[in-house]
Amino acid sequence: PAMAFGNVGLGNVPANSTVVFEIELDAILKPRTIDEYIADNNLDTEVLEAGVHIQIEDSGNEKRPMDDSWITVNYTGKLTNEFIFDQGSNVRFRLNNLIDGWKIGLKELGEGGKCTLIIPAEAAYGETGSGSIPPNAPIIFDLEMILIE
């Protein structure tokens, strides 16, 4: 009971209850290197500064963000094993407050542009990781640039 909800309880689970979960393993997701991810997904990427790879689906209009630009994007972030760690729609960021991989890659897109960024750990969250992103993990973002201000 102390390892479940303890003496507090939660919703329909009374305090000090024994909780039993039935779990079925669907898959084991193994991390891949950037090169393995690119090969497995038949991507044709361009390598940018700091080893950031980009595959541009649509470059968008001619307007490009600067370091101090505000950008509005749709995005999905995942690990090389396809585990999605974050996603958002119409999210507004200041470009210079983001990880290096976004600062580098998003300067290649205009409004309406779409791309996949494959970012080495050194241009992402490095040796510390962040939340569900493990240390030294390369990360992938599918991005759509909605607005540049």
Side-chain angles (χ1 to χ4, degrees), residues 68-86:
D68 63 347
S69 294
W70 284 92
I71 58 169
T72 302
V73 295
N74 296 332
Y75 70 93
T76 299
K78 58 189 173 183
L79 302 177
T80 58
N81 64 9
E82 305 296 342
F83 173 78
I84 295 174
F85 59 81
D86 194 14

Side-chain angles (χ1 to χ4, degrees), residues 32-46 53-57 78 80 82 116 118 140:
R32 295 178 278 181
T33 67
I34 288 174
D35 290 338
E36 289 169 335
Y37 182 85
I38 289 170
D40 290 348
N41 289 282
N42 298 313
L43 301 178
D44 182 20
T45 64
E46 177 184 346
H53 288 251
I54 188 169
Q55 179 164 333
I56 297 175
E57 180 183 327
K78 58 189 173 183
T80 58
E82 305 296 342
T116 297
I118 305 165
I140 314 327

Side-chain angles (χ1 to χ4, degrees), residues 53-131:
H53 288 251
I54 188 169
Q55 179 164 333
I56 297 175
E57 180 183 327
D58 182 341
S59 59
N61 67 17
E62 293 184 14
K63 186 176 184 178
R64 297 291 184 264
M66 308 291 281
D67 287 335
D68 63 347
S69 294
W70 284 92
I71 58 169
T72 302
V73 295
N74 296 332
Y75 70 93
T76 299
K78 58 189 173 183
L79 302 177
T80 58
N81 64 9
E82 305 296 342
F83 173 78
I84 295 174
F85 59 81
D86 194 14
Q87 53 191 355
S89 296
N90 291 310
V91 183
R92 189 170 181 253
F93 298 108
R94 182 165 221 138
L95 188 59
N96 62 6
N97 291 337
L98 300 172
I99 60 172
D100 289 345
W102 277 42
K103 292 178 196 177
I104 294 164
L106 289 180
K107 290 180 182 175
E108 303 293 317
L109 289 185
E111 293 175 338
K114 295 180 181 182
C115 75
T116 297
L117 290 178
I118 305 165
I119 305 172
E122 298 78 18
Y125 297 100
E127 295 178 356
T128 58
S130 178

